[in-house]
Amino acid sequence: MSNLDYLILIVLAALVAFIPRVIPLLYFSKRKIPAWFDEWMKYIPVALFTALIAKDVFVTSQYTYNAKNLSEICSTILVFLVAAKTKSMLVTVIVGLISIMGLALVF
């Protein structure tokens, strides 16, 4: 592949990533969203985040629990408690990083 081919590939990949984000933004910026829909949409990020975390923590390639899982499970519980108490994304991320590093060394 030539340099021009790589450039075209990068531009097309950027468009493919950009267009699905811009179209809903343009569509919903000109319309009033119903209150029930807005209220319902508040739960979507939490549900997606929970699904991603639960899969990563509780499901392994062998479907077994080992020391790695134990450190992740303990860290997840600690991060959940910190997030519920502080409601701060920054503090939650920092506690999560520190706890997973520390518990991975212990377990």
Side-chain angles (χ1 to χ4, degrees):
M1 289 180 66
S2 69
N3 288 342
L4 182 61
D5 292 336
Y6 284 116
L7 179 63
I8 291 171
L9 181 65
I10 290 170
V11 169
L12 290 175
L15 285 173
V16 167
F18 182 71
I19 288 174
R21 289 167 175 82
V22 170
I23 290 175
L25 181 68
L26 293 174
Y27 178 78
F28 286 114
S29 67
K30 296 175 183 161
R31 288 167 178 72
K32 179 155 174 48
I33 299 173
W36 64 269
F37 184 75
D38 191 37
E39 186 66 29
W40 179 75
M41 287 298 288
K42 289 180 184 177
Y43 296 107
I44 297 299
V46 174
L48 290 174
F49 186 69
T50 302
L52 290 171
I53 295 299
K55 179 196 165 289
D56 190 49
V57 170
F58 295 110
V59 178
T60 64
S61 59
Q62 298 88 15
Y63 292 101
T64 58
Y65 294 101
N66 53 28
K68 179 179 181 277
N69 290 76
L70 185 58
S71 65
E72 289 177 354
I73 291 169
C74 292
S75 180
T76 302
I77 292 168
L78 177 64
V79 166
F80 174 76
L81 294 172
V82 168
K85 177 137 179 88
T86 65
K87 301 207 181 341
S88 168
M89 179 67 83
L90 179 64
V91 173
T92 303
V93 169
I94 291 171
V95 168
L97 290 172
I98 292 171
S99 67
I100 196 69
M101 286 188 304
L103 291 172
L105 293 173
V106 171
F107 292 115

